[in-house]
Amino acid sequence: MRGVEPAWRRPTRGEHRWPASLAVLAVVGLQLTLPDDLIGVTQWLMPGVELALFAVLLVANPGRIERDSSVLRAVSLGLIGVISVANAWSVALLVDWLITGSGGQDAATLLRSGAAIWLTNVIAFALCYWELDRGGPAARSAGEQDLPDFQFVQMSDPSLAPADWEPRFADYLYLSFTNSTAFSPTDVMPLSRWAKLAMMLQSAVSLVTVALVIARAVNVLK
């Protein structure tokens, strides 16, 4: 119906927490597959902290994310921060591992570890975009902010989507994945400065990880 605000600009039901929850559990699983040399601390330390923060969110708000709570938002941002710091440390150790050759001569281990770190990077930035775009999922549900940090195609042309369309976690995961593979925006445009800088950082980490892992693996296989 003409004249009706699109769903992403007006108050709507909050999205379910389970997609983001599965992403967090996937990160924990990926971190536990890394060799000790790429963790830097006790293997269960960072995953344990992540699971503790995740449990707080799940117990306090297990269903739809509609309640705007500064405490829960701080816990959610803290969880994303822990994931990001842990993966950044693993990236730094991986770079040292590859440059110095201390990672050994097992190409399969190099590729498997590089893939785990790369996928964790994709999920970490997906969670970041999802949590920060227009104030987070609760704020988006309440329709509190009109100006988006990311412009999806459906926003610029509502005729391409159902009337109740609005970005969900899967959309931010797609955004993160394409940015990590194309090293640039594809069909989702960053509008705010923080979004542009975050995408630039993600592309840089992804490029370094992919380039070094492939180069080292090819050298080992020769």
Side-chain angles (χ1 to χ4, degrees), residues 78-91:
L79 172 59
I80 296 171
V82 172
I83 292 173
S84 301
V85 169
N87 200 57
W89 183 241
S90 292
V91 170

Side-chain angles (χ1 to χ4, degrees), residues 42-164:
T42 304
Q43 187 176 30
W44 270 99
L45 177 60
M46 300 307 279
V49 173
E50 293 160 7
L51 287 174
L53 294 173
F54 170 70
V56 172
L57 293 173
L58 200 60
V59 171
N61 186 10
R64 290 182 179 271
I65 306 174
E66 297 176 325
R67 181 156 52 98
D68 191 7
S69 167
S70 57
V71 174
L72 290 182
R73 181 162 169 76
V75 173
S76 184
L77 290 172
L79 172 59
I80 296 171
V82 172
I83 292 173
S84 301
V85 169
N87 200 57
W89 183 241
S90 292
V91 170
L93 292 175
L94 177 65
V95 171
D96 178 71
W97 211 38
L98 297 173
I99 292 177
T100 62
S102 58
Q105 300 299 313
D106 187 354
T109 300
L110 291 173
L111 292 173
R112 184 170 60 251
S113 301
I117 291 174
W118 185 87
L119 284 172
T120 301
N121 188 57
V122 169
I123 297 173
F125 275 93
L127 289 166
C128 176
Y129 301 149
W130 173 74
E131 185 61 53
L132 295 180
D133 185 26
R134 287 190 294 136
R140 290 195 297 272
S141 171
E144 295 177 356
Q145 296 187 25
D146 291 331
L147 298 179
D149 296 290
F150 296 98
Q151 183 182 36
F152 293 85
V153 174
Q154 294 90 334
M155 292 179 174
S156 57
D157 190 353
S159 66
L160 298 177
D164 61 348

